[in-house]
Amino acid sequence: MDSADLNVLRSVLEWRRAGQRVVLYSVVQTWGTAPRAPGAMLALREDGVLIGSVSGGCVEDDLIARLHDGRIPADGPPVQLITYGVTREEAARFGLPCGGTLRLTEERVGDPGWVAELLARCEDHQIVARLLDIATGEVVLQPASKTDVLTFNDKSLRAIYGPRWRLLLIGAGQLSRYVAEMARLLDFEVLVCDPRTEFVHDWEEQHGRFVSGMPDEAVLSIQTDERTAIVALTHDPRLDDMALLTALDSRAFYVGALGSRVNSQKRRDDLLQLGLSPQAIARLHGPIGLHIGSHNPAEIALSLMAEIVAIKNGVELKQKKSMQESA
């Protein structure tokens, strides 16, 4: 459920609407060490232009060669299965480490209606399963949950897609600009709320979309879900705590606030006095970020995004756990 897959599908939709033939490749199985995990996608246009990735590059080269040497006939079956790296020699040829093997579906995209519908559902922050019939090429879209994973057998592929991960920044100061830039490089949708007009100057729209209103209103208006992170960075408790009171009772997978250990503890005490439950307060990350000895805004932004990505990917924060136990 990588949002990079949505970029692949956006290109598929654009190319098919322009009348160009498109072949869509999906990694469905891997053995040993493989460059990309199941679910990775690549789209190949009739003129050899491609987007996405299924390996480190050598497999992509062979897929383009398949197109040009006629191994993808226009009247062939709607879906084929291709396996790379069956032998150690072939694994070496295609750049697959440690004798890895990967299996791909090679799918001709006909009517792109399902692509448009899938993208629309993801834009509506739904998680979607795409069921591909290997024999007929028929695609059916189904509701899915965040715990669903890709499944494949020789008859069907069920792949999971979801909306982009989002990061809501409370505050538009210097640190927020560094965080926004790094978050965008990591393919997060960046949202910014700051009612202080003085801090909004010179923010470029491509760095983040501004959400109007006060911080608590912003948290509610974006319909916070399990793919949303919220970080309060104003260093002004009147604004930060306003956002946290709402964010900590939301479904956001990460809620953090800038501040030292002393200030973070004081914030927890204040939130308790304001009526927030101990269970909600326990979700607060503060101080934010992994300990990397950061001293300037860029380094703080790096430590913060490292922590957010780790939690997004289900990695236990052992470093922070050991620090808390020793405190």
Side-chain angles (χ1 to χ4, degrees):
M1 195 161 57
D2 189 337
S3 59
D5 298 333
L6 300 184
N7 293 330
V8 172
L9 293 176
R10 289 187 187 98
S11 292
V12 169
L13 182 60
E14 177 185 345
W15 294 344
R16 287 298 296 130
R17 284 178 170 173
Q20 296 165 311
R21 293 193 302 275
V22 179
V23 180
L24 180 63
Y25 294 91
S26 301
V27 178
V28 294
Q29 287 179 313
T30 62
W31 296 269
T33 303
R36 297 298 308 275
M41 302 176 71
L42 177 150
L44 180 62
R45 202 168 68 185
E46 59 181 314
D47 57 359
V49 172
L50 59 79
I51 183 172
S53 172
V54 292
S55 82
C58 294
V59 168
E60 283 81 352
D61 289 342
D62 188 67
L63 296 178
I64 296 172
R66 286 174 59 83
L67 175 69
H68 293 315
D69 64 20
R71 283 180 285 163
I72 313 176
D75 57 352
V79 182
Q80 295 191 87
L81 298 176
I82 308 172
T83 303
Y84 286 96
V86 175
T87 65
R88 187 170 296 277
E89 292 74 17
E90 189 179 58
R93 174 189 170 197
F94 292 114
L96 303 175
C98 304
T101 303
L102 73 157
R103 198 177 192 190
L104 311 175
T105 53
E106 181 179 77
E107 173 187 355
R108 304 167 188 280
V109 181
D111 183 352
W114 68 263
V115 184
E117 183 180 349
L118 188 153
L119 290 171
R121 290 192 189 187
C122 289
E123 285 294 326
D124 195 36
H125 286 270
Q126 299 179 38
I127 299 176
V128 186
R130 180 175 84 98
L131 187 63
L132 171 67
D133 187 299
I134 302 299
T136 65
E138 180 184 2
V139 172
V140 176
L141 302 182
Q142 304 170 333
S145 71
K146 64 178 183 178
T147 58
D148 286 351
V149 296
L150 180 145
T151 57
F152 170 77
N153 56 47
D154 289 337
K155 295 182 179 180
S156 66
L157 165 66
R158 188 174 189 266
I160 311 300
Y161 304 86
R164 291 177 67 189
W165 297 89
R166 298 186 296 173
L167 174 60
L168 172 62
L169 301 175
I170 306 301
Q174 183 185 39
L175 175 57
S176 292
R177 296 173 189 246
Y178 282 104
V179 174
E181 186 173 352
M182 292 184 188
R184 289 184 66 256
L185 289 173
L186 293 164
D187 201 29
F188 278 75
E189 178 187 3
V190 178
L191 308 171
V192 185
C193 175
D194 197 328
R196 306 168 301 175
T197 56
E198 305 87 351
F199 287 83
V200 179
H201 174 69
D202 203 34
W203 262 83
E204 297 183 15
E205 186 175 344
Q206 67 266 28
H207 291 159
R209 176 171 65 86
F210 272 81
V211 181
S212 62
M214 298 301 288
D216 56 334
E217 297 170 336
V219 174
L220 292 173
S221 68
I222 67 169
Q223 297 181 336
T224 302
D225 58 17
E226 296 90 346
R227 295 173 71 86
T228 305
I230 301 171
V231 187
L233 298 175
T234 72
H235 233 317
D236 181 344
R238 294 172 299 177
L239 297 176
D240 288 348
D241 291 0
M242 185 183 297
L244 297 175
L245 281 168
T246 306
L248 289 168
D249 269 334
S250 75
R251 295 185 293 161
F253 77 91
Y254 180 96
V255 180
L258 182 67
S260 66
R261 287 194 182 190
V262 173
N263 287 339
S264 295
Q265 185 55 54
K266 182 179 183 302
R267 173 178 286 114
R268 290 181 172 90
D269 294 339
D270 292 343
L271 291 172
L272 187 62
Q273 292 297 318
L274 291 170
L276 207 58
S277 70
Q279 294 79 9
I281 295 172
R283 298 184 59 220
L284 177 64
H285 292 268
I288 55 172
L290 300 181
H291 179 63
I292 60 173
S294 51
H295 295 291
N296 59 54
E299 292 175 348
I300 295 171
L302 175 62
S303 71
L304 169 62
M305 289 311 304
E307 180 175 54
I308 290 175
V309 170
I311 293 174
K312 173 181 81 71
N313 292 341
V315 175
E316 183 183 2
L317 301 181
K318 295 181 180 179
Q319 179 203 60
K320 278 203 154 185
K321 184 178 180 181
S322 62
M323 290 176 63
Q324 291 167 355
E325 289 174 347
S326 62

